Amino acid sequence: MKCLNGFNKTITVSISLFLIMFALTGCGNAGAGPSGGDTAKSTAGKPEKADIKIGLPLRGATFLPIYLADQKGFFKEEGLNVSIAEFKGDAGVIQALAGNSVDINVASLTGIVNSIKSNQQFAAFWGGFNQAPFDWYSPNMKSMKDIKGKRFGVSTYGSLTDALTRYAVRQAGLDPEKDVQILQVGGSANALAAMQSGQIDASTLDNPYKFMAADKGWNLLLSERKDLTPTWPQHVVYANKDFGLNP
């Protein structure tokens, strides 16, 4: 337990320090002026922007380091006043960042890649959330061989769960555009309820919802960690490129 607590604090303090660095310097720009020394000394230890709103695509266990940092007061210890805003998927949190409703997103690599391809001026500055937490469960199908014509739940279109589900369908030899139906249902809690009510046939689930599905006796179709990839840049921390330049 002590090792786990130390690991969690290492992650959360690291995030705090990166947020401070970003608040001080902006995205890829140093905080010191032309002479360097005087400005650097005047800002040392004090963020230029102390009030930061973090956007999360949804409430989920994979964001535990962020919640833990907030609950344990690690952000405040580093001079930051952080508020956390939750959305219903990558689409919502990306719109919030583009509209300056949040300062920083902690969201999927897929989301920022798609945003940059769409000419959004975003830049990632930390990617320490390497995880592979998703399992695909179904209350009625027994394996990926049974998925043709079935309905899969994802959080939102263009999200990481969407990209992984389409990849998994292709790995099963099917076309995700023609052979299955992919529906937006929100996070794992919503997906579990949607399967329970028969609205979808299968979905990705993360902790603890995949354990709840297993307790119900539902069938494990696929494991991200075992069947697709042992690790994945689950989330990256990113912002608008000009964030911090005009406090």
Side-chain angles (χ1 to χ4, degrees), residues 148-175:
K148 189 169 184 179
K150 302 297 184 181
R151 299 160 299 175
F152 276 80
V154 300
S155 60
T156 56
Y157 298 137
S159 66
L160 178 58
T161 55
D162 185 29
L164 288 174
T165 295
R166 292 174 191 274
Y167 178 72
V169 170
R170 291 190 188 96
Q171 289 292 97
L174 298 176
D175 186 337

Side-chain angles (χ1 to χ4, degrees), residues 133-218:
F134 290 117
D135 289 341
W136 284 258
Y137 270 90
S138 173
N140 46 51
M141 294 184 291
K142 293 184 178 180
S143 75
M144 291 296 286
K145 295 178 182 178
D146 304 324
I147 67 173
K148 189 169 184 179
K150 302 297 184 181
R151 299 160 299 175
F152 276 80
V154 300
S155 60
T156 56
Y157 298 137
S159 66
L160 178 58
T161 55
D162 185 29
L164 288 174
T165 295
R166 292 174 191 274
Y167 178 72
V169 170
R170 291 190 188 96
Q171 289 292 97
L174 298 176
D175 186 337
E177 302 295 334
K178 299 177 181 178
D179 296 323
V180 300
Q181 187 177 3
I182 296 177
L183 303 173
Q184 300 180 113
V185 297
S188 289
N190 293 342
L192 193 75
M195 284 189 281
Q196 183 81 52
S197 63
Q199 297 176 56
I200 57 174
D201 301 297
S203 181
T204 56
L205 296 174
D206 64 6
N207 303 322
Y209 301 99
K210 62 185 182 183
F211 303 126
M212 296 166 66
D215 287 343
K216 292 176 182 292
W218 292 1

Side-chain angles (χ1 to χ4, degrees), residues 53-198:
K53 181 176 285 188
I54 299 176
L56 304 181
L58 43 79
R59 179 183 290 269
T62 56
F63 300 103
L64 181 59
I66 297 293
Y67 294 118
L68 187 62
D70 187 42
Q71 291 290 323
K72 294 293 185 181
F74 297 155
F75 291 135
K76 291 189 180 296
E77 287 177 10
E78 304 298 340
L80 295 171
N81 299 315
V82 170
S83 58
I84 298 171
E86 299 164 350
F87 295 82
K88 295 183 179 180
D90 269 331
V93 77
I94 287 169
Q95 289 173 5
L97 184 62
N100 295 313
S101 297
V102 298
D103 300 304
I104 291 172
N105 278 357
V106 182
S108 77
L109 176 63
T110 305
I112 187 174
V113 168
N114 288 338
S115 298
I116 292 172
K117 287 170 65 178
S118 300
N119 297 317
Q120 290 288 353
Q121 296 301 302
F122 295 160
F125 62 97
W126 198 58
F129 284 81
N130 291 345
Q131 307 170 38
F134 290 117
D135 289 341
W136 284 258
Y137 270 90
S138 173
N140 46 51
M141 294 184 291
K142 293 184 178 180
S143 75
M144 291 296 286
K145 295 178 182 178
D146 304 324
I147 67 173
K148 189 169 184 179
K150 302 297 184 181
R151 299 160 299 175
F152 276 80
V154 300
S155 60
T156 56
Y157 298 137
S159 66
L160 178 58
T161 55
D162 185 29
L164 288 174
T165 295
R166 292 174 191 274
Y167 178 72
V169 170
R170 291 190 188 96
Q171 289 292 97
L174 298 176
D175 186 337
E177 302 295 334
K178 299 177 181 178
D179 296 323
V180 300
Q181 187 177 3
I182 296 177
L183 303 173
Q184 300 180 113
V185 297
S188 289
N190 293 342
L192 193 75
M195 284 189 281
Q196 183 81 52
S197 63

Side-chain angles (χ1 to χ4, degrees), residues 212-228:
M212 296 166 66
D215 287 343
K216 292 176 182 292
W218 292 1
N219 300 311
L220 174 63
L221 302 180
L222 198 69
S223 167
E224 181 186 2
R225 181 177 297 276
K226 294 179 180 178
D227 301 315
L228 297 182

Side-chain angles (χ1 to χ4, degrees), residues 20-43:
I20 287 175
M21 178 187 73
F22 202 66
L24 282 169
T25 66
C27 193
N29 291 270
S35 60
D38 293 340
T39 306
K41 287 179 182 178
S42 67
T43 59

